[in-house]
Amino acid sequence: SSMASLWTSLNPIRSGVTKFNHAVSSEATMPAEIMSEAGFKTVGLYRNGWVHGYFGFDQGFEKYYRPMGSRTNPAIQRLRPNVQSHGSDENLVGDAIEFLRIHGKSSRWFLYLHLMDLHEYTYDEESALFGNSVSDLYDNSILRTDWMISQLYEFMTERGLLDNTIIVVLSDHGEAFGERGFEGHARAVFPETTGTPLIISLPFSLASGLVIEDQTANVDVWPTLLEILGLPTQSESDGISRRDEILSALAGGSSPEREDEGELSVAFLDENWGRPGTDWKPAISVLEGSHRYVSGRDHAGRPFEVLLSTEADDPVDQSKEFPEVTLRLRERAAEALREKAVWKPETFDLDEMQLDQLRALGYELP
């Protein structure tokens, strides 16, 4: 669902992808299609079964495939035995470097990489620098993923490819470690799982990194990139281009005034996403300014709603302190839930092997 929103620039309800067997509509205009029509060579490498081509994510790609797993590093295999059956991000990065070696300077290209080791908490002896708690193991894996990405940067630096390449690093979800009683992801829409990084590396150097504090969303990523590249935008979009904010920050100014100021960032999860044919059981979060409204169901199935501050990592419910804000955002959440899908949802019937591959990621499926 999250990846469908990233690629279509539509919130989940509007993309129509809310159940595990939903596919991105063939009517959607995907960024890879726009890039291909503009003369870019388009290649996608992925290791997550949720973005397999049969879910519609291969639209517009000349080649779109999962790199074959090779013999796993014995150090990793000892620490994470399940990695052997899936391979690791080393395979993906190796294929990406080979693509860049051949096509890096001879073509205009768009290369999409979907890494997976972090999702599986994969680490090795070198990256095992933290403790033994679950969150420490996750930090080990983050460090190893940083090193995987650094291999690409080092290769591109050596080949002079960074001088004309835009690199974007982002995530489809975060991870919860019991901050509010939830573990992992795909269970709630609290900031632990909806707050993700967006790092854009532009083809020129800055004296220091540039941080833009304005709240943004993954539906904004492609509207921003397509405008930066001067390419046509998607016909349907809930996202907003952030190009002007980037340019203003580069020039040392404040963020420009927006006509759509007050628009909300929306996160949605159908808590019945693993049960096809069932009604929605919505968990929804809306952000406006310094407030975040979240509603859903707890572990006992009881409905709840809270109003949180976006200014700090504060778990205190502020709904009684700001009743007017709570009411307004509750109504805005209800409006979002009444939205209609742009396209009729398309479904894909997964066979038992495909279901097993997805269950292996830790998801509960029928």
Side-chain angles (χ1 to χ4, degrees), residues 71-84 122-124:
R71 179 174 174 78
T72 306
N73 183 322
I76 297 175
Q77 190 175 330
R78 284 195 299 273
L79 294 166
R80 300 289 295 166
N82 65 310
V83 170
Q84 185 177 21
T122 301
Y123 60 96
D124 51 25

Side-chain angles (χ1 to χ4, degrees), residues 18-22 186-187 268-283 297 364-366:
T18 60
K19 301 286 188 187
F20 83 89
N21 63 337
H22 285 172
R187 295 179 175 88
F268 169 84
L269 171 71
D270 178 3
E271 294 177 2
N272 277 338
W273 66 269
R275 300 177 178 86
T278 60
D279 292 334
W280 274 354
K281 189 182 286 185
R297 286 169 176 78
E364 295 180 8
L365 297 174

